[in-house]
Amino acid sequence: MVKAANRRVAYLGPAGTFSEQAVKAFFGKSVCAVPKPGFDSVLDAVEAHEVEFGVVAIENNTNGTVTHALDLLLERQLTIVGEVTVPVIHHFLTQAGELGRVSKVYAHPQALDQCRYWLHRHVPKAELIAVSSNAEGARRASIESDAAGIAPREAADLYDLKIVAAGIQDGEGNKTRFLVMGTLAQTWEPFDLPYKTSIVFSVANQPGALYRMLIPLAENGVQMVRIESRPARNGQWEYNFFIDLEGSERDPHVVQALDAMRAQAQHWRVLGMYPVFEA
């Protein structure tokens, strides 16, 4: 945990989201957490120096990548300065406290996907309505007698709702990975944490180009823990590749691998070298 009592950190609000939990897991409960209505506005606040850092969800271990957040990594000139993984336990919240009275369910699209089988079994006729965050879904459920929200336990207390069912997520060990974004590279204490390096690159549209790009990782014994492709949005069928690696510039093997990869890339950018926290 980073001690940051006086630091302002933006997150996807309102209060009671898993994003807020991630902020407090990384920076401590005394941090000044600033809610924002969307990922774009979180990063806008960082770029405008309204806050020092922004926290955005990037991947869920059962539902995959948050693609909008991934695209924002390329669009914005910000740096990944940390990662924190938060357990995601979804609760079904209503005013009435009865499943039979629920005709609509509000939640973030990721939460609806993560609870889809449970929802199908228990409220098959309810309308599933995607909103900007789970806390926003809880807020709406607090003012509509026939509505429910899917949100953390903290949201039940914040919005005076009853927990009808706890832990309704379909996958076991449900977790979400959040990135801490800043304007500059940041060194944290302590230094005995595991580190990751994130890069994005493109290669020539030639047979074997991606394969050759990855060879230096194997040759230098560097572990690639994630690879994702996204359209380059240049009007052609071309792609950018996002890769996460174990280690940082403190490891000479990582440096050698990155140097060899950079020499082959058409487009290249290091998104960040950062410590990894597990909440």
Side-chain angles (χ1 to χ4, degrees):
M1 179 188 297
V2 174
K3 296 179 180 179
N6 298 318
R7 283 176 164 153
R8 290 171 58 82
V9 182
Y11 70 94
L12 176 64
T17 61
F18 289 107
S19 295
E20 184 184 30
Q21 289 186 17
V23 169
K24 293 181 178 180
F26 191 92
F27 290 100
K29 294 183 178 180
S30 61
V31 68
C32 180
V34 181
K36 294 293 178 179
F39 288 160
D40 296 78
S41 54
V42 167
L43 300 186
D44 285 344
V46 179
E47 291 182 331
H49 302 286
E50 176 190 339
V51 297
E52 291 183 70
F53 304 103
V55 170
V56 293
I58 191 66
E59 185 180 22
N60 177 266
N61 67 342
T62 61
N63 207 44
T65 300
V66 182
T67 55
H68 178 53
L70 194 65
D71 290 336
L72 286 175
L73 296 183
L74 184 60
E75 295 171 7
R76 305 302 185 100
Q77 296 302 309
L78 294 173
T79 300
I80 305 171
V81 299
E83 176 189 305
V84 57
T85 298
V86 173
V88 174
I89 302 175
H90 291 301
H91 301 301
F92 196 80
L93 314 177
T94 73
Q95 288 187 56
E98 297 178 16
L99 286 175
R101 296 178 59 182
V102 173
S103 65
K104 62 185 76 168
V105 180
Y106 293 108
H108 188 277
Q110 287 273 327
L112 292 174
D113 282 344
Q114 291 165 26
C115 304
R116 190 161 298 279
Y117 293 123
W118 187 94
L119 293 168
H120 177 71
R121 290 194 302 270
H122 293 90
V123 285
K125 296 181 179 180
E127 181 183 6
L128 307 183
I129 304 173
V131 292
S132 60
S133 71
N134 292 325
E136 172 60 17
R139 186 194 69 79
R140 294 195 187 190
S142 72
I143 58 176
E144 298 182 31
S145 60
D146 64 338
I150 298 172
R153 182 175 297 275
E154 290 81 356
D157 297 330
L158 283 170
Y159 300 101
D160 195 24
L161 295 168
K162 298 176 182 178
I163 299 176
V164 177
I168 69 169
Q169 64 278 355
D170 297 321
E172 294 184 8
N174 195 20
K175 298 179 181 180
T176 295
R177 196 164 63 94
F178 293 83
L179 298 180
V180 182
M181 306 298 298
T183 54
L184 298 170
Q186 178 74 45
T187 300
W188 307 105
E189 296 282 358
F191 295 107
D192 59 350
L193 294 164
Y195 268 69
K196 280 184 183 176
T197 295
S198 292
I199 59 175
V200 59
F201 63 85
S202 62
V203 293
N205 188 14
Q206 300 172 352
L210 180 59
Y211 167 76
R212 291 190 295 273
M213 189 72 173
L214 301 179
I215 288 176
L217 298 177
E219 290 180 339
N220 287 278
V222 176
Q223 176 70 11
M224 179 178 68
V225 293
R226 181 167 169 267
I227 182 169
E228 193 91 21
S229 65
R230 293 291 294 156
R233 298 184 179 183
N234 59 3
Q236 307 296 321
W237 293 102
E238 296 178 351
Y239 295 85
N240 292 309
F241 296 92
F242 293 81
I243 287 184
D244 292 345
L245 315 171
E246 291 182 351
S248 70
E249 77 276 4
R250 293 179 295 171
D251 184 339
H253 296 288
V254 172
V255 174
Q256 292 169 15
L258 294 181
D259 286 344
M261 294 173 71
R262 184 186 298 109
Q264 302 180 62
Q266 287 189 324
H267 166 78
W268 174 271
R269 180 178 160 199
V270 176
L271 297 169
M273 297 182 177
Y274 50 91
V276 178
F277 288 75
E278 185 86 20

